[in-house]
Amino acid sequence: MNTHVKPGIWRRTGNARTAFLYLLPSVILFSVFVFYPMFRTIYLSFFLTNQNGEAALHVGFENFAYLLESSAFLNSMKATVLFVLYTVPIGIIIALFFALLANEKLKGIGFFRTVYSSTMGISVAASSVIWLFLFHPSVGVFNRVLSVLNFPQIQWLLDPEWALISVSISTIWMNTGFSFLILLGGLQNIDEHLYESSRIDGAGYFYRLRRITIPMLSPTLFFIITISLINAFQSFGQIDILTKGGPSQSTNLIVYSIYREAFINYQFGTASAQAVILFIIILIVTILQFKFGERKVHYQ
Amino acid sequence: MKRVELIDLSKSYDKQIDVISGINVTIEPGEFFVLVGPSGCGKSTMLRMIAGLEEITSGTLKIGDKVANGLPPNKRELSMVFQNYALYPHLTVQQNIAFGLDVKKVKKPVQQKRAEDVAEMLGLTEFLQRKPRELSGGQRQRVALARAIVSESPICLMDEPLSNLDAKLRAHMRMEIRRIQRTLGITMIYVTHDQVEAMTMGDRIMILHEGKIQQVGKPIDIYNNPANPFVATFIGSPPMNLASAKNDSVSSTLLIGDTWHLALPANENYSHPSSELIAGIRPEHLRPATKDTPEADKFYVEVTNVEVLGNETVFSFELGGNEWMAKWSGQWHIDSGDRIPILIDTGSLCIFEADTGELIKKPTDLGNFVFGKEVLL
C-alpha cells in the first residue's frame, strides 16, 4: 500500500503565500504609483482624448505617426539628445575630479566634502531661481564679470544659441552633488592596501589612477552613468523655471514638451505617445549601456 | 641581502603617547627575523615604518648603509606581503604578479618570463589567467608571495601572511616560506602574533609588548631563558606556570603560591631587597612522582581538567589562585578530581623579581628535553 500521500495544494503553496504576504506592501505601492500610470499611459497613447483627459477616439498608431513627422517633436528630441550629451559626460568628469580631490586624507577635508555634496540638498526649484539671477542679462554675475573683462555681453537664457548651454551648466551644477557623493563612496570602498602595495612597487599617482582607481571604481561609475543618463532625459524643473522651453523651442526638452502637450494643449493622447517614446528611448539606451558598458566593469 | 638597522626608533600618533619606543635592533643580511607580540603591541606599525608606509617619529632607520627615514617606499628596495594579500581583484594572476615590474617599466616579454618563472616555483602556472576571486585562500596567498618574490628585492616584509589560512595549510606554508627565504637568501622581516610561527620560522625573534622590546634572541634561547614573566607566558604552549614566591633564607626554602615549600640547595639563595618573587616552571618540567620518590619531595595536587592529546597528556590544577598546567608525555589515565603526586626540580625553575619582572635565576636543568646530534650517531 502506498502510504505516501501527496500534501494538498493549500499546504504545498504555504511558502509562496507567506512570500506574497511579505511582498504585498510593495506590490500595492508599485501598482498604484508605477504600474497603473504606466499602463494607463500606454493605453492613452492609442487614443485622442477629450478635455477631461478621457479616451475619446481610438486612432491606433496615428499619434506616433504624427509625432515622428512633426518638426516640433523632432526638434525637441534633438534638444534632448544635445542636453544629455552636454550634461552627462561633463557632469560625471567634474564629480569624479571633486571626489578624487576630496578622497585625499587632509586636514579639514570634511568641510570640502560637505561643500561639494551640498547641491544635493537644494531643490531644483530653489537652485533654478538662484541661476535665474546669475544669468540675468543686466544684474547677473556672469554678465558683470564679462563686462569687467571687456567681453561682449551674452543673453544667456534669451539667445537661442546659448539657452540650452546655460540650462546645461545649471543642470551640471545641480547634479554634481549627487554624483560626487556616490563616487566618493565608491572611492572610499577601495581597499587602502592596494594603494600601499602599489606605492611599494613605486607606482605614481596617474599610474595608480589608471590601473587601480578607475577599474576598481567601474561598478560605481557604471551605476552613476546609468542614473545620470536617465535623469538627464527626464529633466523638467529647471526648464520650467529658467526658460519655459524657449526661446524659439530651443530648450523644449521632451519631458517639458510632454507637460505642455498634456496640461496646456490638453492633448493627452499625443502627450502619452511622447511619454511612451521617451520610455522606449531610455530603455534602449540603458540596455545598450548594460550590453556594451558592463564588459568594462570589474565587479568584486 | 641587506642589513636593516633600527636605532632608537619610536612612533607617536598624537605627539604625546609613544605607541612604539626605544627600538634598537640590527637585522642581519639574509636573516629570517620575526616580530611577535599580542595584538596592539605595535609590531605591524613597526613593519610599516620599515616599509615607509608610516612615518618615523624619531630615531634612525638604516637600510643597507643608508639612512632611510625619509625615503619613499619604492626607494627602499623591499617587497611586502599584506595580511589580506592586497591582490588587485580586476587583474589576472599573471598581471598581479607582473604589476610591480610593469610599474618599473620592465619590458613586456621579460615581465612575462619572470612572472611565469615565479609562478612555476610556487605551483601557480595553471592559474595564471584566473582572477583572484576564482582562487582559494591558499592560492591567493601564493600569488601574494609570488608578487613579493618577482621583484627580486633584497628585503621582504610580511605582515601576518598566514593568519587567513586553515591550520594544515598554515603549517605547510610555514615551511614553504622558510624554504623560499633560504633559497633566495633574502632578508625577511616577518610579523606574526602566533608564537608557533615565531618559534618555527625565525632565525631570531623579537618579542614586543606595549610598544617595547621584551626580548630579542634565538627562539630556543628565548624559550629556555625568558627575560621576564610576559615572555615566559607568551612563548610556549601551554604557557609557563607562574606563581608568586617568597624566599625564606632561614630555612633555605622557597614558598611558592603560599602553599608549597621547596627546599633549596645549600648554595642557592634568592634573597632580594623586596623578597617578592615570581617563580615559573614549564609544564613539561613538572614531573610525575614515582614510588621511589621520597615522600618529602612529593607535592600533591588536585586535578581540575585533563586533556589527552594522544602522545601527551596535559592536566591542570590550582596553585595560589593561578591555574597551573603540567604536560607529561604518553597517555595518562587521570580523572579530574584525582589527587596525584608531582615533582619539582629546583634546577628547572625560573625565578623573576616581582616588581621589575627581571629574570634572576635561569633554569639550569632542562631535564631530558635537550639532545645533541651525537645521540643519533
Side-chain angles (χ1 to χ4, degrees), chain A residues 136-181:
Chain A
H136 194 279
S138 52
V139 298
V141 173
F142 292 144
N143 273 354
R144 285 284 179 86
V145 171
L146 287 177
S147 78
V148 167
L149 297 172
N150 279 327
F151 281 105
Q153 300 282 295
I154 293 170
Q155 301 295 312
W156 295 97
L157 295 170
L158 303 175
D159 184 342
E161 299 279 313
W162 278 94
L164 191 62
I165 292 172
S166 306
V167 173
S168 300
I169 292 172
S170 62
T171 306
I172 289 170
W173 182 82
M174 286 172 211
N175 291 346
T176 303
F178 177 70
S179 307
F180 164 81
L181 208 66

Side-chain angles (χ1 to χ4, degrees), chain B residues 1 9 12 36 39 56 121 149 167 238 242 258 272 279 290 295 341:
Chain B
M1 291 112 276
L9 216 60
S12 164
V36 64
S39 5
I56 294 168
M121 181 170 159
I149 294 168
L242 294 179
D258 289 331
H272 208 268
T290 56
E295 197 60 33

